[in-house]
Amino acid sequence: MKTIVLDIGETLVRDDRHWASWANWLGVPPHTLSALVGAAVAQGREATDALRVLRPDMDVEEAYRARAAAGRGEHLDESDLYQDVRPALGELRAAGIRVVVAGNGSVRAAELLRGLDLPADLVVTSDEWGARKPDPAFFARVAEVAGAAPEATLYVGDHPAEDLFPAAAAGMRTAHLRRGPYGHWWAEHPDVVGTADFRIDALTELVGLVGLVGSAARDAPDTPPGEEDKVVRRGGLRSVR
């Protein structure tokens, strides 16, 4: 494994502040919006559908711009990061792994993330690229910046439809993170279990995966082309659960 690429929302960053700020803007209790987000997740819908339940005529992008104009736009600081983010990313870089942060988000979100000076080689969002997950164009850009072949690149995220499935379709290895509503609710779905090369509960497990893949490749018996990769993937999946 040469490069690890990480999603942003509910992988590196907690979404508590994000949804609480929307609830405040709409004038509803945070619990109400959180419950509606949970319902959308359970139905396999976009989380932003919860906003449209409360305001059926809402244009989310227009509302986002109105919030920013009113001085109530995006905010991000150290308290929004999950506690394992800095240790995990620091260990990966110390192990010689290229670390890329690439997920859906605004240009402002990218600026705020870069302002946190994370131990990463690159931090970029979908709005900066002009392509949003799960669009294949987004993962084509990931492949460009990874600096490694797709099979030597691991994409880590919580959302099966936006992270796991399109990254796998692009030929990358994948790690499904049991974190956030999507990560927990869909963790045991057969499509997730069948697609993910690895399933993890914390980012600090990633350093172990890098070593695991390397040792599995060295120890695997001689096999026809393509079969060795399958051995590594199945072994990795069993080992981290």
Side-chain angles (χ1 to χ4, degrees), residues 9-239:
E10 290 300 345
T11 296
L12 303 185
V13 175
R14 300 160 55 101
D15 281 348
D16 309 46
R17 187 198 301 271
H18 172 79
W19 293 115
S21 64
W22 270 113
N24 182 264
W25 177 257
L26 295 173
V28 300
H31 173 71
T32 298
L33 182 53
S34 293
L36 291 172
V37 169
V41 169
Q43 294 171 22
R45 297 164 58 185
E46 293 184 9
T48 50
D49 284 350
L51 300 174
R52 299 183 183 94
V53 170
L54 294 168
R55 300 290 186 274
D57 298 329
M58 171 183 280
D59 181 321
V60 175
E61 292 301 320
E62 182 179 325
Y64 171 85
R65 291 190 291 270
R67 287 180 51 196
R72 296 166 66 179
E74 290 182 84
H75 179 80
L76 189 65
D77 62 31
E78 191 73 20
S79 67
D80 296 299
L81 296 177
Y82 278 100
Q83 292 185 349
D84 59 355
V85 171
R86 286 195 183 278
L89 271 58
E91 289 177 7
L92 289 170
R93 293 192 78 189
I97 300 297
R98 176 170 170 80
V99 176
V100 175
V101 174
N104 284 344
S106 65
V107 172
R108 175 59 175 161
E111 295 169 348
L112 291 169
L113 276 170
R114 287 193 285 267
L116 294 179
D117 195 24
L118 295 172
D121 296 284
L122 175 68
V123 175
V124 66
T125 60
S126 57
D127 278 9
E128 293 183 307
W129 277 347
R132 185 176 181 85
K133 295 184 297 181
D135 189 333
F138 177 93
F139 289 92
R141 294 300 303 271
V142 170
E144 289 176 9
V145 302
E151 60 270 19
T153 300
L154 179 72
Y155 194 89
V156 183
D158 64 297
H159 198 307
E162 293 188 355
D163 301 324
L164 179 62
F165 302 149
M172 300 174 191
R173 297 193 178 208
T174 57
H176 183 249
L177 176 63
R178 187 195 293 266
R179 175 174 286 175
Y182 285 99
H184 283 285
W185 185 261
W186 295 102
E188 302 302 327
H189 190 279
D191 290 345
V192 172
V193 175
T195 300
D197 296 303
F198 308 104
R199 293 188 293 151
I200 60 176
D201 295 309
L203 296 179
T204 45
E205 296 177 41
L206 291 171
V207 174
L209 294 188
V210 173
L212 176 67
V213 170
S215 63
R218 289 192 300 271
D219 298 340
D222 292 336
T223 54
E227 291 301 311
E228 180 180 273
D229 186 55
K230 293 178 183 177
V231 172
V232 173
R233 292 185 179 212
R234 288 199 301 267
L237 183 58
R238 285 198 301 269
S239 298

